[in-house]
Amino acid sequence: MPERAARRAELLAVAAGVFAELGYSATTVRVIAERAGLLAGSLYYHFDSKESMLEEILRTFLDELWTGYDAVLGDAALGPRETLRALVTESFREIDRHGPAVAVFQKEARQLAAQSRFTFLTDAQRNFEDAWRTTLERGVTEGAFRPDLDVRLAYRFLRDTVWVAASWYRPGGRQAPDGIADQYLSMVLDGISVRDNNHTNMRS
């Protein structure tokens, strides 16, 4: 059974790459099987359809994402800046682990959610937005972020800035996920943090 589980995981990794490359509609079981070095019929030994494969790929990604997010959001010791930093870092770790799944989610979640099998994607998008917007709103309330911050716009900017990285990030590259997260945050937080009046006066 361990060997079968390993082979199953390997096939899902291949399928995720194909879905990300070709799109859900254009992907067929035959194409996935060919990429995996199998006959199409052999793939049905492990999965009953391409829908089953994609559902498992997306649920695995989202389950791992929310395990990380829940740990961050449940840590009462973190302030808004630290919470935002941890959410961004966890997001880049998920891109590192599940890049193709992230790419599919980003490009196709809305269309897929129209199918009864994938309605869970709508809840995932809603929960994701709530987590990030709540953190931003808390930062404004507590004085960590600018009082004039447009939270809705800031959320969209952060969402798109972070998750679009799935289109170019390659595991094993020059920078680790945490390092990329730090670079993103160094650019973002200076734009939304409360400005230090003394620092501003020194520069004026």
Side-chain angles (χ1 to χ4, degrees):
M1 291 300 292
E3 289 184 7
R4 183 177 179 182
R7 181 55 171 159
R8 183 184 177 87
E10 181 183 326
L11 292 173
L12 286 172
V14 171
V18 178
F19 285 128
E21 177 187 345
L22 302 181
Y24 173 73
S25 297
T27 297
T28 64
V29 170
R30 181 180 298 278
V31 171
I32 296 172
E34 288 176 352
R35 295 285 182 93
L38 297 173
L39 296 174
S42 299
L43 196 62
Y44 288 110
Y45 175 71
H46 300 277
F47 305 96
D48 61 12
S49 65
K50 73 170 186 176
E51 290 82 4
S52 294
M53 300 184 79
L54 183 58
E55 181 180 1
E56 187 166 340
I57 288 165
L58 292 174
R59 285 190 182 276
T60 298
F61 152 58
L62 290 170
D63 286 348
E64 288 191 16
L65 177 70
W66 280 102
T67 296
Y69 274 19
D70 286 342
V72 170
L73 297 170
D75 189 343
L78 297 179
R81 284 175 61 98
E82 292 75 24
T83 299
L84 185 62
R85 177 176 294 277
L87 289 175
V88 171
T89 300
E90 189 60 40
S91 298
F92 274 103
R93 289 172 180 169
E94 285 304 311
I95 291 172
D96 182 63
R97 289 190 286 255
H98 297 289
V102 173
V104 174
F105 181 81
Q106 284 296 100
K107 291 186 288 187
E108 305 204 48
R110 184 170 298 178
Q111 291 76 16
L112 288 169
Q115 303 179 34
S116 59
R117 187 164 196 161
F118 295 101
T119 53
F120 68 92
L121 296 176
T122 300
D123 293 333
Q125 289 176 312
R126 184 181 303 114
N127 293 339
F128 180 82
E129 180 172 355
D130 286 346
W132 286 68
R133 289 185 63 165
T134 298
T135 300
L136 292 167
E137 289 166 356
R138 177 185 165 208
V140 172
T141 299
E142 296 182 7
F145 303 148
R146 289 182 357 219
D148 63 339
L149 181 68
D150 185 326
V151 169
R152 186 164 179 259
L153 185 60
Y155 157 70
R156 290 181 171 180
F157 170 76
L158 285 165
R159 176 196 64 192
D160 295 345
T161 300
V162 170
W163 292 110
V164 75
S167 67
W168 56 260
Y169 177 81
R170 296 293 178 271
R174 186 170 57 86
Q175 285 189 301
D178 289 20
I180 296 176
D182 286 342
Q183 289 293 320
Y184 267 58
L185 286 159
S186 70
M187 292 183 282
V188 170
L189 287 175
D190 283 343
I192 64 175
S193 300
V194 173
R195 294 184 181 279
D196 184 294
N197 289 331
N198 291 329
H199 180 66
T200 302
N201 290 335
M202 288 175 63
R203 295 180 59 187
S204 60

